[in-house]
Amino acid sequence: MEREGRAVGAASGGLVTIGEFARLSRLSAKALRRYDEMGLLRPALVDPVNGYRYYDPAQVEGARLVAWLRRIGMPLSRIGRIVALDAGAAAVEIRAYWARVEAETAARRDLAMYLVDHLSAEGRVMSRIPGNTGNTGNTGSTGSTGNAGGAGDAGGIGRTGSSGGAEGMGSRGGRGSSGSGVPGGSGVLGGRVAVPLAIRCAALTDTGAVRTTNQDAAFAGPRLLAVADGFGEGGAEASAAAIEALKPAAWGGGGDGALSAADLLNALEDTADSASRAVRDAVAPCAEPDGSGTTLTAMLWTGSRLGLVHIGDSRAYLLRGGELFRITHDHSLVQSMIDDGSLSREEAASHPGRALLLKALVGEVRSAPVAVACRPDVRLQEVLAGDRYLLCSDGLSAVVDEAELRAAVIAAEAPEEAVRRLVGLAHEAGGPDNVACVVADVVVAAEE
């Protein structure tokens, strides 16, 4: 009678039992008990004697939101943050989460298509040449050719990064012309190129006209091209650590370029994981390690193939046949809004969320609402003699439009001249952020 009286009292106060609340919220009683234990969805009243849970009908909308977010696959830890927000902020969080899911799905789709092409080509060769187990690879696409959008400022304050200087090989000589109007023509991915190729390159970073410290880093060498844009308290350490993890000694890129396409993809995955670990270690001493991190856009050269590692809103461009193509896709909130049509490129330039990244290399994730640690995109990039590549942080791409970038990259005879021109353009635009850029020419090895 005592327990029954308590139940009646709870009901008369407007509360409902867990069974009734489960029916209203479309959540099972088991799920409700679990969410209570996690602190995600507390009941309004717990009977101190029998432990029965009672809920306020006003909690139904919050419970339904939890159920809906679970349906789209959102982790409980992130749901816990979202249900504590007001409606507007929760909407921003959900958009950011789903944009990240779509970006990661697209990366997996690209890898799946590569594997289909790679294995199909291998099967064709094996059917023509009995006993041949050689790897012929794929002549796939170079990726997105999107225009510059208003990418956010991923930078922050911190100490001057010593990794910002350029390190590269000589760059005398012209860049040539491929004669191909678009990327993805006659280059070779899976097999060896017919003519041995080499890289001529230069790198340059600059603090800019406004900031007092430089958290950008750049590296240009015969086996690695990379830019990284650090942010947060440990931004300088993060950008330096990410690039250091990709140095040739770390991925076996100092050999004669004998890596197969499959081996290079594996090497890209391994080095991407190494960069993630290096950044976590570098920012671990910070007061809030999940608020420090870096973008990373890098190309690894084996002598016959080029692999791309990309995360964040730093960019890679390809100049071929007089046309400049963007071959990376920004992992930013504004880019996701451009992609789904809710924001124009003009509006993106002044959007208040342009600094928000959906993917970045960061410290241990505890409470960062948007910029989260996740694996970089990796893929193989078509190579042609005469190609010129530009890698840059958003300190350049966010303030200089693509027409000016193209003109500067075309006009410069050598990579060293090109990086100086590009940094000069950033300064002419006000230099509001640190700048990092790398320019590299693909040349016939005999010329080098």
Side-chain angles (χ1 to χ4, degrees), residues 319-392:
L319 179 70
R320 178 179 292 173
E323 295 295 326
L324 188 69
F325 304 92
R326 174 150 60 104
I327 58 174
T328 54
H329 196 72
D330 293 349
H331 299 136
S332 65
L333 180 63
V334 294
Q335 183 63 60
S336 73
M337 296 174 72
I338 292 171
D339 293 342
D340 66 21
S342 60
L343 195 69
S344 70
R345 298 186 184 280
E346 293 73 22
E347 292 169 333
S350 57
H351 191 275
R354 64 187 182 278
L356 297 179
L357 298 176
L358 301 180
K359 294 174 67 175
L361 300 179
V362 299
E364 181 182 359
V365 175
R366 293 195 302 266
S367 60
V370 176
V372 294
C374 41
R375 177 170 289 182
D377 298 341
V378 299
R379 74 161 193 270
L380 301 186
Q381 171 67 31
E382 178 200 35
V383 177
L384 291 177
D387 287 346
R388 171 167 279 186
Y389 288 93
L390 163 63
L391 281 62
C392 65

Side-chain angles (χ1 to χ4, degrees), residues 92-315:
V92 171
E93 276 287 293
I94 295 169
R95 176 189 290 278
Y97 168 78
W98 192 247
R100 176 191 167 192
V101 170
E102 290 185 327
E104 292 176 346
T105 301
R108 291 196 296 271
R109 180 194 63 222
D110 290 345
L111 179 57
M113 292 301 98
Y114 161 75
L115 293 173
V116 169
D117 291 345
H118 173 71
L119 294 174
S120 297
E122 186 175 75
R124 288 194 295 272
V125 170
M126 290 178 68
S127 66
R128 290 196 300 267
I129 307 175
N132 187 341
T133 59
N135 177 4
T136 61
N138 168 33
T139 58
S141 166
T142 62
S144 169
T145 59
N147 295 323
D153 172 12
I157 61 172
R159 71 171 180 81
T160 302
S162 60
S163 58
E167 180 176 343
M169 58 189 290
S171 59
R172 298 303 252 170
R175 63 187 178 279
S177 174
S178 69
S180 172
V182 295
S186 57
V188 176
L189 286 179
R192 293 294 189 94
V193 290
V195 179
L197 300 176
I199 297 289
R200 290 175 178 165
C201 52
L204 185 61
T205 69
D206 188 85
T207 304
V210 175
R211 304 253 173 125
T212 58
T213 58
N214 190 356
Q215 294 185 307
D216 283 9
F219 181 89
R223 297 290 182 178
L224 173 67
L225 313 169
V227 297
D229 182 353
F231 56 86
E233 177 190 353
E237 292 83 357
S239 59
I243 291 181
E244 190 64 30
L246 297 186
K247 294 288 182 69
W251 61 280
D256 61 0
L259 284 177
S260 68
D263 288 340
L264 180 53
L265 276 176
N266 288 338
L268 291 174
E269 291 280 359
D270 290 344
T271 53
D273 289 343
S274 296
S276 296
R277 289 193 298 270
V279 170
R280 288 197 298 271
D281 292 343
V283 303
C286 297
E288 295 184 1
D290 54 355
S292 295
T294 186
T295 69
L296 178 65
T297 300
M299 289 183 157
L300 283 66
W301 174 248
T302 69
S304 62
R305 299 179 180 90
L306 195 60
L308 176 67
V309 177
H310 170 68
I311 187 167
D313 62 354
S314 293
R315 294 180 176 179

Side-chain angles (χ1 to χ4, degrees), residues 10-30:
S12 64
L15 303 183
V16 298
T17 65
I18 189 172
E20 177 64 12
F21 192 74
R23 185 187 67 79
L24 294 172
S25 64
R26 305 292 181 91
L27 289 168
S28 69
K30 180 179 179 181

